[in-house]
Amino acid sequence: MKQGNAIEVKNLTKKFKVYFDKGSQLKERILFRNRNRYEERWVLNGVSFEVKKGEAIGLIGHNGCGKSTTLKLLSKIIYPDAGSIEMKGRVSSLIELGAGFHPDMSGRENVYTNASIFGLSKKEIDSRFDDIVAFSELEEFIDNPVRTYSSGMYMRLAFSVAINVNAEILLIDEILAVGDSNFQAKCFNRLREIKAHGTTIVIVSHSLSQIEQICDRTIWLQDGLIAEEGAPRDIHPKYLNYMGEQRQVIAEKEAERQKDKTSDAKGTKNPHEQVEKDKVAKEKNRWGNGNARIRNIVMLNSKMEEQHVFATGDDMVLKLEYNVKENVKDAVFGIGIFRGDGLQCYGTNTRIDKQAEFNLSEDGMLQLDLKNIGLLPAEYIVDIAIESEIGVPVDYFKVATSFEVYSNIDDVGVIRIAHEWNFDGVR
Amino acid sequence: MKAISALKELYAYRQMIYSLVKKDLRGRYKGSALGFLWTFINPLLQLGVYTIVFSFMLGSEIHPYSLFLFVALIPWIFFSSSVTGGSSSVLASKEMIKKIYFPREIMPIANVTSSFVNMLLCFLVIFGVLIAMGWGANFVALLYLPLIMIIEYILCLGIALLTSAFTVYFRDLEYILGIVTMAWMYLTPVMYPSSKVLDRIATTRLAQYDYLWYLNPMTPIIDAYRDILFYKRVPQMSTLLLAFVIGLFFVVVGYAVFRKLQRGFAEEL
């Protein structure tokens, strides 16, 4: 092992056997031999990395990319098929909190049991006991049975034990969502302290902001290989972009599937029945006198490519066509954007925007350019409507289309307000 | 080298064994009105039942048969609970094994140790009964008692290591062992004296093979307990040595097999 390294992982590979239909009984094993077929799924295909002593790294990647498997291999819960792992110092893994807790025993006894599972001796636990209790803020309840604890108290005690093990290497898997926000902040501060003392930390998390707060380096795993590694600030935007693209692919597939479904249904079912159904479904979120109808709504990005996933701050183009059955006088086109939970984020129409009034007399097209959409990550629904002069709905189309927004900045709220921090020369 | 570091690690985790044993013993009767007292009441009540059945109802040439049986039955219960309980010990803690690291052998070790401590507590009852009945004891013979207990512990541990690892891959073993230990009890002089079988064999053509009787490692162990406590004499050491060697063999083989098989536990469970 190289000088100054705490963890060295070389060419790690791991496969799991996924049985199609595993029979554990002898009868099944003998009678249905071919049922014992299994598929080997490679979770890791040769991962190598080094972690320096006192360094904190974050493992990211989509579900099933192998990050949790890597952590399990590091903590020696499972063993690799090939490759080697070398680690220097006591390892403590915060993968499962509260292991071995007995509900009928007091908090005090459970601290001893739980800490002993991390490999601490009686003496070591004695010397840490006060710290553990103080950190959990459960001084008054420490002699009560754990079954009387609320789930928050339970997790607080469990986390306090785990974080006070004083290991040289700390492995953490998605468990920083413990307790209320105060306690979470406390956990974070504690982790920073621990890191400052030279503890090596490996974190698996979906929360990139958590990783950015603590880690010096991010390793992005993809299909059992390291896709990229580097400073969190460099890697995370790339990762988010990739995830956004992936989401779009999924959204497109979903749209196609829906289309197939409806066309399938039309082909197989009684056509009359289907038409009736469509009508009813349409009526539910669409109303108006029908003198004009909206159709072919498409969403495009600034390069005029169809897209349903946008980044905060992107430009968006909405295009639609309309058919006219009967003249519509002084038509007004309107749009409403709602967040998935129903909150209206924005709404406007041609009248509000003081567009010149116009009459619809023949089929046409409309393009709406939305510049620099400041919406924060969420799913959004778009309503589109045509009204006539005095607010008579001609075609009010609820949930006409939808889109998704992602971002690589973790600001919160509904929209992003352009801002700047100024410390010097405050007026 | 690897084995030594594994043993060192095991030593570092000694507090975990202690905690698990304590949790098991204290948690066993938790919630019952008499609580921990059951540890003592249970064997006393058993003794009462055997006294009624064998001394009054059936009658036996051995007197008092209840005591004769009792001093052998308590060590036997330790053995059988180690084999059956030990075999399921890894399986029973599968949630922990899947989620956190600790030397896996701790599970069978803690299980056997907990049964062992339970036996020690039952021995307090045995001594109480011996005194209450005015049976008395041979103090020189009593010095051998810890030795026998250690030999039995080693044997139990070896078997538990083996069976607990196999049970993970072959779950039926748990139930098979239930019936095996029952049959094993009848093959071991728990309910009858060893001499009864040996006398019987001596009259047949199998007389020359009577040493086979002692290949069952539990036979010399049970004989020794009875020698010390019931007959108040120093046990026969030659057969005990054989039991010790067999026990040691099981521990070494059991540990090696366990270390090898434990690599796949988390995935198999």
Side-chain angles (χ1 to χ4, degrees):
Chain A
M1 188 179 270
K2 276 185 220 155
Q3 190 71 28
N5 273 1
I7 304 173
E8 276 182 19
V9 172
K10 281 195 199 98
N11 253 326
L12 213 53
T13 61
K14 178 76 192 166
K15 62 168 183 270
F16 289 120
K17 286 177 186 174
V18 184
Y19 286 90
F20 294 124
D21 178 16
K22 188 184 181 183
S24 59
Q25 292 179 357
L26 194 64
K27 182 189 82 184
E28 292 169 17
R29 280 195 187 171
I30 294 169
L31 286 181
F32 311 115
R33 289 196 76 144
N34 54 346
R35 275 205 199 163
N36 290 327
R37 277 178 309 159
Y38 54 81
E39 187 181 70
E40 282 179 350
R41 205 178 55 219
W42 288 89
V43 184
L44 295 178
N45 296 315
V47 169
S48 308
F49 60 88
E50 292 174 6
V51 186
K52 288 193 190 64
K53 191 178 177 319
E55 193 184 18
I57 64 159
L59 296 176
I60 60 168
H62 58 83
N63 291 331
C65 70
K67 55 188 191 304
S68 288
T69 305
T70 308
L71 207 67
K72 276 188 175 172
L73 285 165
L74 287 176
S75 55
K76 286 195 283 183
I77 292 171
I78 52 176
Y79 292 81
D81 289 310
S84 68
I85 300 172
E86 274 188 85
M87 293 201 278
K88 210 154 63 185
R90 171 185 263 158
V91 181
S92 166
S93 57
L94 277 69
I95 294 177
E96 172 79 347
L97 291 177
F101 268 29
H102 192 300
D104 284 332
M105 295 200 176
S106 71
R108 183 185 300 275
E109 288 169 303
N110 274 311
V111 166
Y112 275 88
T113 310
N114 190 225
S116 73
I117 292 170
F118 286 107
L120 295 185
S121 68
K122 174 105 183 354
K123 226 191 268 169
E124 287 171 310
I125 303 171
D126 284 338
S127 69
R128 286 168 174 78
F129 188 79
D130 290 337
D131 287 343
I132 292 172
V133 177
F135 191 82
S136 69
E137 302 167 16
L138 291 169
E139 287 92 342
E140 300 146 62
F141 310 101
I142 198 66
D143 287 309
N144 296 355
V146 173
R147 77 182 129 80
T148 65
Y149 286 20
S150 71
S151 58
M153 288 158 76
Y154 184 96
M155 289 313 277
R156 249 152 61 194
L157 187 65
F159 189 85
S160 304
V161 176
I163 202 102
N164 280 296
V165 169
N166 293 8
E168 277 113 356
I169 299 172
L170 199 58
L171 309 172
I172 305 174
D173 189 2
E174 291 289 3
I175 50 153
L176 292 169
V178 176
D180 53 26
S181 53
N182 277 341
F183 191 74
Q184 272 188 35
K186 202 169 157 183
C187 293
F188 263 99
N189 287 334
R190 187 58 203 253
L191 275 181
R192 280 197 205 97
E193 260 176 61
I194 287 174
K195 195 187 155 219
H197 280 106
T199 303
T200 311
I201 301 176
V202 180
I203 299 179
V204 164
S205 182
H206 282 291
S207 162
L208 300 181
S209 63
Q210 284 183 352
I211 289 181
E212 272 164 32
Q213 281 185 59
I214 294 178
C215 298
D216 309 304
R217 187 152 54 98
T218 294
I219 295 178
W220 170 13
L221 287 172
Q222 170 127 359
D223 302 328
L225 288 168
I226 293 179
E228 282 202 58
E229 63 174 300
R233 289 269 157 209
D234 299 334
I235 301 296
H236 292 181
K238 286 186 194 168
Y239 172 66
L240 282 166
N241 280 329
Y242 170 79
M243 289 300 273
E245 282 165 21
Q246 283 302 103
R247 265 206 295 277
Q248 184 171 343
V249 171
I250 291 166
E252 271 165 16
K253 266 189 197 153
E254 180 67 16
E256 217 156 85
R257 209 171 55 88
Q258 291 290 354
K259 228 188 253 169
D260 284 356
K261 226 182 185 173
T262 45
S263 61
D264 264 12
K266 267 179 189 152
T268 52
K269 278 189 188 163
N270 180 347
H272 182 69
E273 199 180 311
Q274 191 59 38
V275 168
E276 284 297 304
K277 250 187 190 165
D278 275 359
K279 232 181 192 170
V280 174
K282 284 257 167 67
E283 298 302 340
K284 257 189 204 160
N285 52 17
R286 197 164 184 179
W287 60 86
N289 60 22
N291 288 345
R293 293 286 268 188
I294 300 161
R295 60 188 195 94
N296 278 353
I297 303 158
V298 282
M299 286 189 135
L300 309 160
N301 61 18
S302 51
K303 290 177 208 146
M304 299 310 261
E305 297 158 346
E306 194 170 344
Q307 188 170 313
H308 284 274
V309 183
F310 297 85
T312 303
D314 274 2
D315 294 341
M316 183 194 287
V317 178
L318 199 69
K319 263 171 106 172
L320 59 89
E321 293 169 20
Y322 55 86
N323 291 355
V324 177
K325 263 196 225 158
E326 248 173 77
N327 263 356
V328 181
K329 230 185 117 201
D330 298 342
V332 174
F333 279 87
I335 178 176
I337 298 176
F338 298 83
R339 199 165 64 188
D341 60 1
L343 175 80
Q344 176 155 28
C345 301
Y346 189 69
T348 190
N349 62 33
T350 47
R351 189 191 296 134
I352 294 171
D353 287 342
K354 305 226 159 48
Q355 296 282 320
E357 289 177 351
F358 56 100
N359 299 333
L360 300 184
S361 51
E362 56 189 41
D363 298 359
M365 259 172 59
L366 175 73
Q367 177 173 331
L368 177 64
D369 291 338
L370 297 159
K371 294 275 180 215
N372 189 14
I373 48 162
L375 296 167
L376 292 183
E379 282 182 32
Y380 294 91
I381 290 162
V382 182
D383 291 3
I384 299 172
I386 308 174
E387 284 181 3
S388 69
E389 38 188 349
I390 30 170
V392 176
V394 175
D395 186 11
Y396 196 106
F397 195 175
K398 260 178 100 78
V399 199
T401 182
S402 64
F403 63 96
E404 213 178 307
V405 174
Y406 70 94
S407 165
N408 45 34
I409 308 173
D410 289 313
D411 42 0
V412 295
V414 182
I415 57 151
R416 179 171 299 153
I417 297 174
H419 58 281
E420 237 173 76
W421 299 93
N422 269 313
F423 294 99
D424 299 322
V426 178
R427 263 168 282 173
Chain B
M1 209 48 225
K2 249 186 180 169
I4 288 172
S5 67
L7 286 176
K8 252 189 195 158
E9 193 183 23
L10 203 55
Y11 179 72
Y13 272 86
R14 63 197 179 280
Q15 178 66 21
M16 182 177 174
I17 299 175
Y18 174 81
S19 298
L20 287 177
V21 170
K22 194 172 146 195
K23 193 170 95 173
D24 182 46
L25 290 173
R26 292 204 40 205
R28 194 175 288 182
Y29 301 107
K30 206 104 190 180
S32 61
L34 293 172
F36 195 64
L37 272 179
W38 272 111
T39 311
F40 304 107
I41 295 169
N42 220 354
L44 264 180
L45 289 178
Q46 275 185 349
L47 182 65
V49 170
Y50 291 131
T51 309
I52 292 166
V53 173
F54 291 104
S55 298
F56 296 116
M57 288 165 70
L58 292 177
S60 166
E61 64 264 39
I62 301 162
H63 242 66
Y65 182 79
S66 54
L67 196 60
F68 170 86
L69 178 63
F70 198 51
V71 297
L73 194 65
I74 296 294
W76 176 264
I77 289 172
F78 166 46
F79 176 76
S80 69
S81 67
S82 292
V83 173
T84 54
S87 78
S88 58
S89 62
V90 171
L91 216 53
S93 54
K94 78 187 210 192
E95 283 315 308
M96 255 161 90
I97 284 175
K98 277 196 289 193
K99 301 254 173 65
I100 45 176
Y101 174 79
F102 53 85
R104 302 330 191 181
E105 51 271 32
I106 281 181
M107 285 302 162
I109 291 175
N111 196 289
V112 171
T113 308
S114 150
S115 302
F116 183 70
V117 173
N118 206 42
M119 177 181 79
L120 292 184
L121 293 169
C122 290
F123 261 86
L124 292 179
V125 177
I126 292 184
F127 287 129
V129 169
L130 286 175
I131 292 166
M133 288 175 75
W135 192 256
N138 175 347
F139 285 100
V140 180
L142 276 182
L143 290 177
Y144 287 88
L145 195 58
L147 185 70
I148 314 290
M149 287 174 166
I150 289 167
I151 292 173
E152 191 187 2
Y153 180 82
I154 289 171
L155 178 71
C156 289
L157 186 61
I159 293 176
L161 280 169
L162 264 182
T163 55
S164 64
F166 283 136
T167 306
V168 173
Y169 297 92
F170 183 59
R171 311 264 162 118
D172 307 44
L173 195 60
E174 204 181 331
Y175 312 107
I176 294 171
L177 283 171
I179 201 78
V180 165
T181 46
M182 196 190 83
W184 200 334
M185 182 170 94
Y186 289 104
L187 280 172
T188 307
V190 176
M191 308 183 112
Y192 51 84
S194 219
S195 54
K196 203 166 185 176
V197 177
L198 289 174
D199 290 351
R200 191 74 181 266
I201 292 172
T203 61
T204 63
R205 281 181 301 148
L206 297 169
Q208 51 182 324
Y209 300 116
D210 65 350
Y211 59 87
L212 286 175
W213 175 245
Y214 286 102
L215 272 186
N216 170 7
M218 277 311 283
T219 299
I221 289 173
I222 292 295
D223 277 350
Y225 275 112
R226 195 169 272 146
D227 278 342
I228 295 168
L229 296 164
F230 189 76
Y231 298 115
K232 293 180 276 186
R233 65 185 181 215
V234 173
Q236 214 183 338
M237 290 314 286
S238 56
T239 50
L240 261 180
L241 190 69
L242 182 67
F244 177 65
V245 171
I246 293 175
L248 218 54
F249 168 79
F250 268 112
V251 166
V252 172
V253 172
Y255 189 65
V257 169
F258 192 95
R259 292 289 316 169
K260 194 143 185 67
L261 289 181
Q262 63 96 18
R263 294 171 72 91
F265 279 180
E267 286 164 66
E268 196 64 34
L269 286 169

